[in-house]
Amino acid sequence: MAAAAAVAALLLLWPATASAEGEGRRLHTLFSVECGDYFDWQAVGLLHSLRKARQPGGVTRLLSCGPDQLPSYRGLRIGHTLQVPSYSRHPRTGDWYPAINKPAGVVHWLKHSVEANNVDWVVILDADQIVRGPIIPWELGAEKGKPVAAYYGYLKGCDNILAQLHTAHPEFCDKVGGILAMHIEDLRALAPQWLSKTEEVRQDKSHWSTNITGDIYGMGWISEMYGYSFGAAEVGLRHKINDDIMIYPGYTPRIGIEPLILHYGLPFKVGNWSFSKLEHHEDGIAYDCNRLFPPPPFPREVEMLESDPNVKRGLYLSIECINTLNEGLVLHHASVGCPKPQWSKYLSFLKSRRFSELTKPKNWNGQLVENRKTVQHVPSLKEDNKRPKIHTLFSTECTPYFDWQTVGLMHSLRVSRQPGNITRLLSCSDEDLKNYKGHDLAPTHYVPSMNRHPLTGDWYPAINKPAAVLHWISHVQTDAEFIVILDADMIMRGPITPWEYGAKLGSPVSTPYEYLIGCDNILAKIHTRNPSACDKVGGVIIMHIDDLRRFAMLWLHKSEEVRADKAHYATNITGDIYASGWISEMYGYSFAAAELNLRHIIRRDILIYPGYVPVPEVNYKVFHYGLRFGVGNWSFDKADWRNADVVNTCWAKFPEPPDPSTIMKEDQGTWERDLLSIECGRALNKALYWHHKRRSCPRPSPVDGISSKLETVTTSSNFEGGNAKNSNANRLKSHIDLAKMKAVKRVAAIVSPVHRARRLARSSRIWIVAVWAASVAAFLLVISMFFTDRRRSVSRSRVSRSQKAHI
């Protein structure tokens, strides 16, 4: 036991001494932390992964710690450490900005560390990373004057006035970060500029706005990243940018590429398990003996979660990240003298040959990074290489209301065989994300919520759509040529492709929104310099990626602009029947497109609202169920189900639409309208059915209100559309009314207030009638008893008089 602890201690505390052979190839790795529990467990994980990956050369932790923090700090023995002065509170300006500790720490290391005089190459990492294989700059293609780095696309300031203000060479500004591999001479030239430019950008508060920096909070929080890019431009460094070296857990790697770094800066999820580093901000797990992070699913469980081999590979990377972090904690606890942990299946797995084999060091198998940007993507093995690649996006919030819409849309996207990748843009606050249960409903890009505008305080959730698209295009690289943007409240009936509808660069495709009358009046004249180019469109958008890159920021800006223009909310100006500015985001889209002179190809054959009469012989590709629609006595309105958690309640579904065979064919248009409405309602229930089945909901029993026989019929008729089987289902319904009474109690908790109110109203009327009937019956009973008693009394009186007469 003691020997094992000593070995573990040496492994954790002794700096890696292996060095790359050859003249001019001495390598050192740096990472910056602050003194606190949050960074300590990250440091434990990173240091362990570096040793596991056999990273050559030494490793130094740059520890930024204030004098008042040091006496109580308990992590001084975590790895080889150089204490550097804390810049969290700037010594000159008093500005609180802990991120500046990174360049300040590097400057201090170059000036005061003996190691800095004995190395040729330096790798700089972040603490919240797990390394999977040796990061060797020259193997990645780094040269003197040409460092290697990962791509940070959201650094918009490289392309606008921010770069022009803060560097004499804005044309050299590279959007990079995450991992930096460079020659020591380049770092010596860069480091002072990195620090000074960070201070400079941080003080430039007049240019903190989102449309300039790309920082969605507009708070200057990414000033250090700009400090690096502007400093590198200032000294003439041109980066070789590669986006395959590093990946965020939760993302899918490019086929054939083994990323060397897992950067767990964002929340991620595998099945019902999830991890977010922010949930452990004050977690002393590095010092709590034998406590680990919640174990992720085992590899064999991941095998059952996903059929796509490359998506599955992404899930394996996610569990590898946390398993390696936990393995580091196990060794760290042993090194500080913690008692031997109790046996568990998970600990046994971490110590197994299987885990060792899965996490053995990965060697870089990509090409040498050239002077260009490579990007992550997931090409479909079945894609036609002659067709442009497509990526489909839709925006949601983390609520039950959007979750059931997500289930419906995702199922229909799969059934319709929409080509390319699909991403849900999930706008969610940190607080809501802690309790959110729907991480596994779709491939997801997490976006900070803009429901309450961070600058104006305006409550306008619709702005999340342009904000989310901007965040996605700034943070995620894609090789897709065209982007399809949908709304969550849609059901796909067939694939939407640019080649079918003629989309091209400069000419997006969309569907008509005729009520946007502001395109024809003073609203357009105020908010765009090119009002004649304002197209009344929305709903479905097919846009070239280069157009979207130019357009996304302007879409958000114009949405904010129109939303702030309360003087022109009137219905006769906007067409908004509520005159509340609720469709500002739609005008933001049209005005931004007009500003860039993007002229839409407007197609009326893509989308239909259920309840509208279809154009004869048109095969619509999308249902947009944004309005109430119905057939006979049945109707559906998405707003009625705003608070219904049908996704997390097993076998919950919406009221079934009528059987198509019962629809009277009075005229062709009305009949086709009703059939489409029924199809949309059934598609939602079909999606919910397969969702519940995929989540292994317990098989419903007659006691719960749904017989196994009905389930079979529901599966085959409601979800497959056989007319004969539909009739069987209807006949069965008459035999299960009694069982359904109990089902009503179970489902009542998820029914919307509107439906509940209607049911209560009906119940009240029935109760009043029942009380009235009971009162009448009681009155008649009393009267009857009174007269019966009187007749008996009279009869007894007569008998008494008769007896007296005889006496």
Side-chain angles (χ1 to χ4, degrees), residues 16-89:
T17 56
S19 60
E21 295 181 0
E23 186 66 25
R25 291 193 169 182
R26 296 169 299 174
L27 177 61
H28 202 88
T29 302
L30 303 175
F31 68 100
S32 174
V33 300
E34 299 161 42
C35 53
D37 293 344
Y38 180 56
F39 281 100
D40 286 355
W41 62 257
Q42 294 177 44
V44 167
L46 177 58
L47 287 167
H48 170 65
S49 71
L50 284 164
R51 291 181 175 84
K52 194 178 178 76
R54 298 175 186 169
Q55 174 71 3
V59 180
T60 297
R61 178 180 67 143
L62 304 177
L63 178 66
S64 301
C65 209
D68 59 326
Q69 297 173 301
L70 270 175
S72 60
Y73 180 58
R74 46 186 176 170
L76 288 175
R77 297 185 61 204
I78 297 177
H80 177 61
T81 299
L82 176 67
Q83 294 182 42
V84 301
S86 175
Y87 265 58
S88 295
R89 179 75 65 188

Side-chain angles (χ1 to χ4, degrees), residues 68 70 72 88 108 300 364 388 438 459 495 507 525 575 588 592 647 707 782:
D68 59 326
L70 270 175
S72 60
S88 295
H108 188 89
R300 65 175 179 274
W364 176 242
W459 178 262
S507 298
K525 294 175 183 177
V647 168
S707 68
V782 170

Side-chain angles (χ1 to χ4, degrees), residues 177-219:
I179 179 258
L180 308 168
M182 67 179 66
H183 195 275
I184 186 66
E185 295 304 322
D186 292 335
L187 185 60
R188 290 189 189 279
L190 165 68
Q193 289 287 336
W194 184 3
L195 177 57
S196 65
K197 291 295 178 183
T198 299
E199 294 172 318
E200 193 178 300
V201 176
R202 180 66 182 171
Q203 292 172 34
D204 185 11
K205 295 184 179 182
S206 61
H207 293 96
W208 277 7
S209 60
T210 302
N211 64 324
I212 294 176
T213 63
D215 177 3
I216 62 171
Y217 299 107
M219 299 299 291

Side-chain angles (χ1 to χ4, degrees), residues 448-579:
S449 174
M450 289 270 286
N451 284 350
R452 179 77 65 189
H453 197 284
L455 297 180
T456 67
D458 178 39
W459 178 262
Y460 183 54
I463 205 170
N464 280 313
K465 185 175 180 180
V469 171
L470 175 61
H471 192 277
W472 179 81
I473 207 164
S474 299
H475 288 75
V476 175
Q477 291 304 298
T478 176
D479 63 349
E481 188 175 342
F482 285 91
I483 306 299
V484 176
I485 302 175
L486 305 173
D487 287 338
D489 57 345
M490 291 179 173
I491 293 293
M492 297 282 286
R493 305 179 73 234
I496 297 175
T497 59
W499 53 86
E500 181 177 357
Y501 296 108
K504 56 186 178 181
L505 182 64
S507 298
V509 169
S510 193
T511 53
Y513 272 13
E514 300 291 356
Y515 55 84
L516 298 179
I517 60 175
C519 277
D520 301 327
N521 60 37
I522 191 174
L523 200 65
K525 294 175 183 177
I526 292 174
H527 294 291
T528 174
R529 295 170 295 179
N530 193 13
S532 61
C534 184
D535 292 325
K536 304 172 188 174
V537 293
V540 174
I541 300 162
I542 311 172
M543 186 176 286
H544 194 280
I545 185 66
D546 292 340
D547 288 335
L548 189 61
R549 288 194 175 106
R550 294 188 300 136
F551 170 77
M553 177 68 76
L554 200 55
W555 182 7
L556 176 60
H557 175 64
K558 289 295 180 182
S559 298
E560 293 172 319
E561 189 179 299
V562 177
R563 179 67 180 171
D565 185 11
K566 296 183 179 181
H568 295 95
Y569 274 8
T571 302
N572 65 327
I573 295 177
T574 63
D576 178 2
I577 60 171
Y578 302 106

